[in-house]
Structures are given as structure tokens and as C-alpha cells.
Amino acid sequence: MTHTILGANGTIATELIPVLKKHNVNIRLVSRTPQHVEGTESITADALDSEQLLSAILGSDVVYLTIGLVYNAKIWEEQWPVIMRNVINACKTTGAKLVFFDNIYMYGKVDGIITEETPYNYISKKGKVRAELAKMLLKEMASGNIEATIARAADFFGPRATEKSIPSVLVFEKLKAGSTAQWLINPNVPRSLNYTPDIAEALYILATNEKAFGQVWHLPTPAPLTGKEFVKLAAKHLKSSDKISVLPKWLLKIIGLLNPFMKEAYEMNYQNEFPLHLSSAKFEKAFAFKPTSYEDAVKETALWHLNR
């Protein structure tokens, strides 16, 4: 079996590689600038180029789409539909199964628990793009043109998750440096976060179970906890103060005038202002999988940061 990762330099790919090694599959890493990883094959390809992508996927049994584009709505609007169409066409041509690692932006602000049946009600430009990608792939899946599955997660944290993880930047790195942890907008509301090792294990499970295909799955997510509770756990394992500096919405808008990433992130702030409860009950029941507790996940992440 050959398992191919598109977006091979990203956080999720980094966690997925050791999972695939553990299961003794052939691993192919595809990126515009792939890094050599012992025990894997690396191929240079741009997912925006259909011929390059097809050539990179040839011979694959499973393809993981874990590409992360620059966090910019205009770039997403221009490039994501092209990438998704190219990936779908390449998998249809080669017969490779597709596992699409997705986020939850298409749901928008939800009052209550978010399940796989929650309707799309995006309130952001990036959410609109994600909804369109999902609809494109779901249409192909429903038509029987491709064996694919969509795997969704909220914001994530974990060992080896660094600048792409807000909890890593604002909590773990701050506490390790002896600074005060920061939290966005509201540390008093419950907030679902995903643990990257659980994400990687779950992606492999979906890729290797026939019943997973043709469906949407929420990746393993424990019951949400508040920002204060999360920081308290991190501080315990980093032996730091659990004080929190809250970054209010008005300040984030000002920061966005100077910081392009924060400007782009502003439309997603509803995720930090209001409760966000993502349910993975469907996945847990189907595959008898228990998400890693926040206690254990935060402990492992804290230890990794301490030992860097």
C-alpha cells in the first residue's frame, strides 16, 4: 500500500508520518518544496498544476489532502477550488482513495453542539470557500465517481504544532518563556480543540476502513473546556502562573491593521467570542475510539515544549 500526503510539510502531515510508519505502508510526501524524511519518498509537485499532481499521485492507494494555503481569503477563493478539482480528477484517474482534512468554518456560528448533520451557515469568506469545496467533493462522492471521506477538526494543538497552532503560540510558548498566557476575546466560554496525535491516528483509521468512505466525520474531540481551564492545565505542567491576559476584540482589530494574519483571522473571531462545541460522537462510536483527555494532551504538549 502506498499512502501519499499532499501538503507534506504541514503540522498534520508531521504527525501522520510516524502513524503511517507504524503501520508499515509506503509513504510518499508531495509538496512544492518537500523535505526529506527518512523512510519516505519525496516528490516535488504543485497542486495547482494538474499534470504535476497527477504524476505525483500515480500508484497511490490512498491520498491525504492536508494542504494549508496562506491564510488569506482572496488566495483561498482563487486557489482552493483549483486544487480540489485537480485532486479529485487525479484520484478519479488513478483510482486512489481520498481523505480530505477539513476544518469547520462552513458551519459558521452555531448555538449548540456541532455534528456532521449541522447545516452549512458560514459567516466568513473563508467559510464560504470551505463550504464550496465540501459541496464539490460531496457531489463527486454521491455520484460514485470517487471513494473519498471528509475529516473535520477545529483549531488544534499538540507536540510539534508550533506557529500554526494558536494555543501553542499564545499559551505554551508564552508560559515556557515565563510570560503571561494569552487568550482571544473570551476565556470563560467552552471551546473545542483537537489534539494533533489524535487527528493523525483518526485519519489513518478513516483511510483504511471501507465504511468511512462516502461520509463526513468529525475527528476525535473531547468535551470542550474554557480558556481559563486550558491555561490552568498548561500552567500546571509548565510550572507557571495560570494568569491570563485577554486580547479583546477591539484590540485584535487594531493589531490587524499592522499584521496581515491577524487581519485575516478577524472574521473568524466568533469562534473565540461564543461557545464552540464540536461533537465527534459519530467517529467514537463507529471506531471505538476514545479521544485523548485534555489533561493528558496538554501534559504531553507541555513536556514537548519544555524539551525543545
Side-chain angles (χ1 to χ4, degrees):
M1 296 284 287
T2 295
H3 288 228
T4 296
I5 305 175
L6 304 179
N9 296 335
T11 300
I12 301 305
T14 299
E15 287 294 340
L16 184 55
I17 290 168
V19 173
L20 298 182
K21 284 186 174 182
K22 182 174 65 177
H23 291 282
N24 296 314
V25 300
N26 297 320
I27 305 169
R28 183 181 298 169
L29 307 180
V30 179
S31 171
R32 286 178 297 181
T33 55
Q35 299 173 3
H36 176 69
V37 177
E38 186 177 353
T40 71
E41 172 191 11
S42 297
I43 294 182
T44 301
D46 187 340
L48 291 167
D49 186 307
S50 60
E51 292 186 3
Q52 286 186 23
L53 187 65
L54 176 59
S55 178
I57 286 178
L58 281 172
S60 301
D61 296 285
V62 175
V63 172
Y64 301 91
L65 176 49
T66 69
I67 289 173
L69 296 181
V70 174
Y71 205 67
N72 180 288
K74 190 172 187 301
I75 291 174
W76 281 31
E77 290 165 353
E78 293 173 352
Q79 297 187 8
W80 257 123
V82 177
I83 290 172
M84 180 58 79
R85 176 50 58 193
N86 287 345
V87 172
I88 289 173
N89 288 343
C91 288
K92 286 164 67 174
T93 299
T94 62
K97 296 176 181 178
L98 174 62
V99 178
F100 174 37
F101 175 65
D102 199 4
N103 63 33
I104 61 171
Y105 291 3
M106 72 293 297
Y107 297 125
K109 178 182 174 294
V110 178
D111 296 323
I113 298 174
I114 304 172
T115 72
E116 289 86 350
E117 303 302 318
T118 299
Y120 297 170
N121 188 29
Y122 51 82
I123 57 174
S124 64
K125 293 178 181 178
K126 298 179 194 70
K128 181 181 180 182
V129 173
R130 285 291 177 166
E132 291 172 350
L133 296 179
K135 289 175 182 177
M136 184 191 305
L137 182 52
L138 286 168
K139 183 179 179 180
E140 295 284 354
M141 290 158 61
S143 299
N145 296 327
I146 185 174
E147 279 195 272
T149 185
I150 298 176
R152 291 183 177 144
D155 289 344
F156 51 72
F157 73 97
R160 295 164 294 280
T162 51
E163 73 277 359
K164 297 295 177 64
S165 167
I166 291 178
S168 175
V169 174
L170 297 186
V171 179
F172 293 101
E173 291 183 6
K174 292 285 186 183
L175 293 179
K176 181 185 176 182
S179 301
T180 300
Q182 295 178 322
W183 201 263
L184 301 178
I185 303 177
N186 192 346
N188 298 309
V189 295
R191 174 75 155 84
S192 289
L193 294 165
N194 290 90
Y195 183 50
T196 49
D198 278 0
I199 290 175
E201 291 284 354
L203 290 177
Y204 177 78
I205 289 171
L206 292 175
T208 53
N209 280 270
E210 287 299 326
K211 66 181 179 182
F213 293 94
Q215 300 185 60
V216 174
W217 302 87
H218 289 170
L219 298 173
T221 315
L225 75 175
T226 67
K228 284 184 177 179
E229 291 168 334
F230 188 91
V231 170
K232 189 173 182 178
L233 279 178
K236 179 176 74 171
H237 294 296
L238 286 165
K239 296 180 172 52
S240 303
S241 167
D242 61 5
K243 287 180 62 178
I244 301 178
S245 173
V246 179
L247 301 178
K249 200 171 181 180
W250 63 264
L251 179 59
L252 296 176
K253 193 166 187 71
I254 292 175
I255 294 173
L257 297 175
L258 304 172
N259 184 305
F261 175 82
M262 294 304 293
K263 181 179 180 180
E264 285 291 329
Y266 190 81
E267 68 171 356
M268 308 310 305
N269 277 329
Y270 65 89
Q271 296 187 115
N272 304 298
E273 188 174 2
F274 305 102
L276 193 162
H277 186 171
L278 183 68
S279 170
S280 60
K282 175 184 173 182
F283 183 93
E284 294 171 44
K285 182 178 179 181
F287 302 107
F289 191 105
K290 183 178 180 181
T292 303
S293 68
Y294 280 117
E295 173 72 40
D296 291 339
V298 169
K299 178 181 179 180
E300 288 302 314
T301 305
L303 289 175
W304 181 81
H305 278 273
L306 287 173
N307 293 324
R308 286 183 69 186

